[in-house]
Amino acid sequence: MIKLSNLVFGAVACFFLVLFIAGTNAFGVASSYNENTSPFMVYPGMESSVELRLQNMIGNEDVKVSATLTDGAGIASMQTEEYDLPFGVKGVPVIVSILIPEGVSPGTSYSVTVHFESVADGETGGVGLGIGTDYRFKVIVAEEPQEQPAVDETTTSGSFAIWWIIGAIVVILVIWWIIKSSKKTPKATSKKRR
Amino acid sequence: MENLKIVYAGTFLLVLIVLMISFASAGVGDWFRQITGRATANADANVTLTGDNEVIIYIWNSTLTGTVVDPNSGSYLTIRFNVTVTDLDGSADINTTSIRSNFTRAGEPLRENNTCEEGPTFGDSINFTCAIDMWYFDEPGVWNISVSATDFGTGTIVLNDSTQFTYGTLNEVVASLSLISFGSVSQGEVNQSSSNDPLILNNTGNVDFTNISINASDLIGETTPSDYIAVANLSVSNSTSGSDGSARDECLTTTLNGVTASTLINRTNYVQVINTTLSRGNLSLNDGTAQEDIYFCIRTVPTGIVSQAYSTAASGNWVVNTA
């Protein structure tokens, strides 16, 4: 029943969406990183990249989209390119390279912006409209984790074993001493009785 | 005397054992695990309640980790993940209809599924596949995964809520129009609103936009390109009702009752449509949520230009930008 109501809700929602967005002109830009809830974490001197992903899931038309880095904050770079997005496609990658200089203090934050816009010939008969969007994500410099000193496992386990052996020997000696002591005591008692 | 010796010896042995353990263990828990041979660390969460007969739930969040979880534009995305439920009393003791799963994030609605699909049984365990729909307007970021199950023997509901996944960010706005028209206008006419606006912008992603701007261009004559309507004659607003009784809001040249229109400029810069925001939300509420309307106006039709069609065919489409 719950599944059915979910299905009904989904169908109704999709119906309304179709009504709202008839005659559409759209594309989407997705990523695992953004400027508020999911920053991209890097270390000083680190070279990395952020993948933005294009999708064209609404409107039933193919679109062409241009991508331009409008604010690289001195750490980001990318090629300005155009991407063909056939209708229904999702996950077309746009790569933004990130290079953090050595010596940057942990906690330093950068805001990177990539501008996307639809590419089309001008329309006759009026004002042709295209869609653009600025995708922003934050890059935060984190403290590089300290390298753990290499642990010689052979030595560690070896010394561990030695301690166990020494311990075992001591335990055996103590038990032997207790037994020996307890055997001596009754003899002394019996002599006294005589 | 004999008893005293035994007490001394016992104390000595105890101290010795404690000393030996301190060389290799971080605590009593580690010491216990060393003796039992149990693992001291596990990448995935594993919840076991006290008692042998209750179920153990194992969420295979690795089925989500490392995968792309991007929202679907204007729709839902079904996210599947695997769960293993184990009962040491045997798999037959697992209540297979009791599996519940949900995704939660502070301030966001619950996303849940109460019917995880039963998969194969192996030994004391049964695999289940849970599928939860996430909507395009759900907030990006870290979401918590919770799974609960119970058994017939104890009836105890065991909850595992120690795993998470990251829901992606989606910037997407869908425009209702691809062409704005003004119909037929005459030279010298003023305050001519578009004949087919508003342009409705629908936020079909999960980002809150605070700035809607337009990069515009002159309208060039289609037959006599030397004649044109300068874009500075055009203006935009997110309001249309006539605030002063004569001109519509999108045609205003000054702020009136808090309403104003923005004058467009030719290509050099984006012009912000004042007072516009476009928050994420459920469009199917049909109450203006996640929507913004834009209205267009020709404030003055220039004189001395040829009567012909004027358009952006030669100057290029305008771009409505969201940021």
Side-chain angles (χ1 to χ4, degrees):
Chain A
M1 191 61 200
I2 289 164
K3 218 170 186 179
L4 184 66
S5 42
N6 274 344
L7 210 67
V8 170
F9 176 67
V12 170
C14 289
F15 170 73
F16 273 112
L17 277 174
V18 169
L19 282 184
F20 286 138
I21 57 191
T24 54
N25 178 355
F27 63 89
V29 188
S31 175
S32 307
Y33 308 102
N34 61 38
E35 63 175 339
N36 297 316
T37 56
S38 304
F40 182 60
M41 306 299 288
V42 288
Y43 304 128
M46 186 175 168
E47 190 169 358
S48 187
S49 63
V50 169
E51 184 183 83
L52 309 180
R53 294 173 290 272
L54 297 171
Q55 57 179 265
N56 176 14
M57 306 290 284
I58 294 179
N60 209 22
E61 284 182 12
D62 300 344
V63 294
K64 181 178 275 191
V65 172
S66 68
T68 310
L69 183 72
T70 51
D71 185 2
I75 55 144
S77 61
M78 66 173 280
Q79 297 285 328
T80 296
E81 275 188 51
E82 291 185 352
Y83 299 84
D84 288 311
L85 304 178
F87 174 68
V89 77
K90 185 180 178 184
V92 176
V94 176
I95 305 297
V96 182
S97 300
I98 305 289
L99 175 59
I100 304 296
E102 294 280 1
V104 172
S105 307
T108 304
S109 169
Y110 303 92
S111 186
V112 176
T113 306
V114 182
H115 174 73
F116 295 87
E117 69 178 51
S118 55
V119 178
D121 295 332
E123 299 264 358
T124 58
V127 177
L129 294 175
I131 283 288
T133 190
D134 289 345
Y135 194 99
R136 290 202 182 97
F137 61 91
K138 196 162 275 183
V139 178
I140 295 178
V141 180
E143 193 159 356
E144 197 160 9
Q146 297 292 319
E147 276 189 28
Q148 296 292 327
V151 178
D152 187 342
E153 290 195 3
T154 315
T155 311
T156 309
S157 58
S159 60
F160 184 68
I162 288 167
W163 275 106
W164 269 107
I165 291 165
I166 292 171
I169 291 169
V170 171
V171 168
I172 289 166
L173 286 173
V174 169
I175 291 170
W176 173 78
W177 176 70
I178 292 169
I179 293 169
K180 194 182 170 188
S181 303
S182 61
K183 277 181 181 174
K184 278 181 184 173
T185 313
K187 281 180 185 175
T189 313
S190 60
K191 276 180 184 175
K192 278 181 184 175
R193 280 179 185 167
R194 282 176 194 170
Chain B
M1 187 63 186
E2 185 184 335
N3 287 342
L4 201 61
K5 278 183 180 175
I6 290 171
V7 170
Y8 283 150
T11 309
F12 176 73
L13 276 174
L14 191 64
V15 170
L16 190 70
I17 288 169
V18 170
L19 280 174
M20 287 171 66
I21 288 165
S22 68
F23 278 100
S25 301
V28 176
D30 278 356
W31 170 72
F32 177 74
R33 280 184 281 272
Q34 279 174 5
I35 289 174
T36 58
R38 289 188 180 201
T40 56
N42 195 334
D44 291 320
N46 192 357
V47 172
T48 311
L49 293 191
T50 53
D52 293 336
N53 299 329
E54 292 164 350
V55 295
I56 303 166
I57 300 172
Y58 198 90
I59 299 173
W60 298 92
N61 68 331
S62 55
T63 53
L64 295 175
T65 305
T67 59
V68 175
V69 191
D70 290 344
N72 275 343
S73 310
S75 183
Y76 58 85
L77 174 73
T78 302
I79 298 178
R80 289 186 169 78
F81 59 100
N82 298 327
V83 173
T84 300
V85 180
T86 302
D87 191 325
L88 298 178
D89 295 333
S91 59
D93 195 36
I94 297 169
N95 183 348
T96 56
T97 61
S98 70
I99 318 300
R100 305 277 185 274
S101 64
N102 64 56
F103 296 155
T104 54
R105 178 176 167 84
E108 291 295 297
L110 179 74
R111 302 299 178 209
E112 63 181 337
N113 179 358
N114 292 329
T115 52
C116 293
E117 190 180 339
E118 186 178 342
T121 299
F122 56 98
D124 294 337
S125 304
I126 301 176
N127 277 345
F128 294 86
T129 299
C130 300
I132 297 179
D133 294 340
M134 290 287 287
W135 284 87
Y136 59 94
F137 51 85
D138 287 332
E139 189 174 39
V142 175
W143 285 68
N144 211 47
I145 307 170
S146 297
V147 178
S148 65
T150 188
D151 63 345
F152 294 113
T154 67
T156 305
I157 297 171
V158 177
L159 174 73
N160 181 341
D161 60 356
S162 60
T163 51
Q164 298 171 323
F165 79 100
T166 299
Y167 192 52
T169 306
L170 175 63
N171 264 36
E172 176 154 346
V173 170
V174 177
S176 62
L177 300 171
S178 58
L179 189 79
I180 294 289
S181 174
F182 290 91
S184 293
V185 294
S186 305
Q187 294 187 29
E189 271 190 321
V190 296
N191 298 334
Q192 296 298 301
S193 294
S194 162
S195 58
N196 68 336
D197 63 9
L199 166 69
I200 303 171
L201 300 177
N202 300 281
N203 188 342
T204 54
N206 57 2
V207 172
D208 293 326
F209 298 105
T210 55
N211 185 338
I212 298 172
S213 57
I214 297 177
N215 187 300
S217 59
D218 294 337
L219 308 187
I220 309 294
E222 290 184 1
T223 52
T224 309
S226 55
D227 282 358
Y228 63 93
I229 298 173
V231 74
N233 289 301
L234 283 87
S235 55
V236 291
S237 175
N238 66 337
S239 174
T240 190
S241 56
S243 293
D244 69 349
S246 57
R248 288 185 174 276
D249 291 345
E250 65 268 31
C251 303
L252 291 173
T253 53
T254 56
T255 301
L256 199 63
N257 300 327
V259 177
T260 191
S262 306
T263 305
L264 297 171
I265 57 176
N266 192 24
R267 285 296 181 214
T268 49
N269 275 309
Y270 281 85
V271 172
Q272 184 176 4
V273 184
I274 296 168
N275 296 329
T276 50
T277 57
L278 192 52
S279 301
R280 66 188 172 90
N282 186 354
L283 281 164
S284 43
L285 293 175
N286 196 20
D287 60 358
T289 300
Q291 284 187 315
E292 187 67 90
D293 295 345
I294 309 290
Y295 300 87
F296 296 82
C297 173
I298 301 180
R299 283 175 174 151
T300 307
V301 181
T303 54
I305 56 174
V306 173
S307 178
Q308 61 175 329
Y310 290 86
S311 71
T312 55
S315 56
N317 286 346
W318 293 7
V319 176
V320 180
N321 195 63
T322 50

